[in-house]
Amino acid sequence: MVRIGYTMMTEQAGPRELVEHVVRAEEAGFDFSVTSDHYFPWLAEQGHSPYAWSVLGAAAQATSRIPLMTYVTCPTKRYHPAVVAQKAATMQLLSGGRFRLGLGSGENLNEHVVGGGWPPVDVRHEMLEEAVEIIRALFEGGHVNYRGEHFDVESAKLWDLPDQPPPIGIAVSGKRSCALAGHHADLLIATEPRPELLDAFDRHGGEGKPRVGQLPVSYDPDRDAAVERAHAQFRWFGNGWKVNSELPHPDSFASATQFVRPDDVAASIPCGSDPEDFVEAVRPYAEAGFTEIALVQIGGESQPAFLDWSEKTLLPALREAFA
């Protein structure tokens, strides 16, 4: 069975609300949860961006069953990888072993805030590979010294380590990231249902490992309202990762998407309240070979209604379709 997850999207709700939402997602029966890790929202209309790791710590204490995961953290600019390792180990302890560390090469939108410029993609991949090496070394215990092209670590040691370190996922979008994930990750992360990404992951050592996708949805009994909300807050989604990773500010995303129409958004994001539309949107991920799909309900204020509907209607329909 394909596992169905819930996304705490930090760009569209405040910290207390995000914790309330994941508590309700656990009650509704979602199989796992993921959390974005942003400094800025994609668009000003989304209106939020609290510190994801504080939200995760609170969620770990407020829930008891549902797995938690970053989707994804960039461990190269805004955070040093030694600090990411400490945060992830602490989260694994707080959650009782329910945490997975999702990593990626990042977006200019969030990482530019610490200065130093935004590296080209090949350098970002080099930095990510070094970061994963550092994190894994720290998870092993003992003192770590590291001299890399991009990072140094001076006699670091994690004093609070879980018995089992958190599994590491790596986000992929092309050949280089798939090779990196195949060699270094315990699971694959992607936002597009492209079978070639999974094939490349398998060729480089990822065969048999979980692969986690993500899908935006816009539930509302009024389909026009669902389309309007999706257009207002998620019209950036269709830009593609090569664009989304480079733009530096929500105003940049607003300019880049000024000619995107509501109908364009509705063509790629299921909107309304017909569960079959949502099932058909999930199907390409399941057929490509994804083992887990995290849904992103668009709009912070719409979460309670979406979660109630998911418990009664959507989750049963998805489980019937993909059992």
Side-chain angles (χ1 to χ4, degrees):
M1 179 180 290
V2 174
R3 299 174 72 228
I4 304 298
Y6 173 76
T7 300
M8 289 187 283
M9 191 173 187
T10 59
E11 302 94 288
Q12 64 181 15
R16 294 179 67 90
E17 290 75 20
L18 289 164
V19 175
E20 291 171 0
H21 297 159
V22 76
V23 168
R24 180 68 185 98
E26 180 177 68
E27 294 171 350
F30 279 89
D31 297 314
F32 67 100
S33 68
V34 304
T35 309
S36 58
D37 184 357
H38 271 234
Y39 201 92
F40 275 90
W42 299 97
L43 293 165
E45 289 86 347
Q46 292 176 316
H48 293 275
S49 201
Y51 184 54
W53 290 86
S54 295
V55 174
L56 282 165
Q61 296 302 290
T63 59
S64 60
R65 174 195 61 81
I66 194 167
L68 304 162
M69 176 179 171
T70 50
Y71 204 98
V72 296
T73 287
C74 176
T76 62
K77 295 289 287 183
R78 194 165 32 119
Y79 309 133
H80 190 282
V83 177
V84 173
Q86 184 187 36
K87 295 193 288 190
T90 299
M91 265 303 303
Q92 185 74 322
L93 290 167
L94 283 172
S95 65
R98 291 182 284 137
F99 182 67
R100 295 182 291 179
L101 176 61
L103 300 175
S105 57
E107 303 97 17
N108 195 10
L109 175 70
N110 302 301
E111 308 307 317
H112 78 270
V113 297
V114 296
W118 185 232
V121 66
D122 59 327
V123 175
R124 301 201 301 266
H125 286 147
E126 292 173 6
M127 296 174 73
L128 179 59
E129 187 163 23
E130 285 191 13
V132 175
E133 291 173 354
I134 291 167
I135 291 167
R136 286 210 183 274
L138 286 164
F139 282 170
E140 292 176 1
H143 287 82
V144 173
N145 291 283
Y146 186 94
R147 295 288 180 273
E149 181 72 22
H150 304 285
F151 297 108
D152 292 334
V153 177
E154 295 281 356
S155 189
K157 171 183 167 69
L158 299 181
W159 288 88
D160 290 275
L161 274 172
D163 292 335
Q164 294 294 326
I168 293 176
I170 293 180
V172 304
S173 59
K175 293 180 180 179
R176 177 70 180 89
S177 55
C178 286
L180 196 157
H183 287 129
H184 293 284
D186 301 306
L187 57 137
L188 171 143
I189 295 167
T191 57
E192 298 175 278
R194 292 163 52 194
E196 65 268 22
L197 297 177
L198 277 57
D199 292 342
F201 178 59
D202 289 346
R203 288 197 303 273
H204 292 283
E207 189 171 359
K209 297 177 181 178
R211 52 271 338 257
V212 187
Q214 191 177 53
L215 173 70
V217 301
S218 187
Y219 162 77
D220 199 290
D222 182 342
R223 187 177 185 277
D224 290 340
V227 171
E228 181 180 355
R229 185 171 62 243
H231 178 258
Q233 297 193 28
F234 241 81
R235 62 186 183 274
W236 56 272
F237 189 75
N239 288 340
W241 207 249
K242 289 184 178 180
V243 174
N244 288 342
S245 63
E246 301 292 343
L247 298 179
H249 194 272
D251 290 347
S252 307
F253 283 88
S255 296
T257 57
Q258 62 182 310
F259 298 116
V260 176
R261 302 168 301 173
D263 287 348
D264 299 328
V265 175
S268 59
I269 294 175
C271 297
S273 58
D274 185 345
E276 286 306 310
D277 292 340
F278 292 69
V279 168
E280 291 309 308
V282 168
R283 191 174 302 282
Y285 287 87
E287 292 180 346
F290 283 84
T291 57
E292 306 176 40
I293 298 109
L295 304 181
V296 187
Q297 166 64 11
I298 299 170
E301 294 182 355
S302 70
Q303 301 302 308
F306 168 73
L307 290 163
D308 288 346
W309 178 70
S310 294
E311 180 177 22
K312 298 173 184 176
T313 304
L314 180 59
L315 289 175
L318 289 171
R319 285 172 180 143
E320 181 180 358
F322 303 113

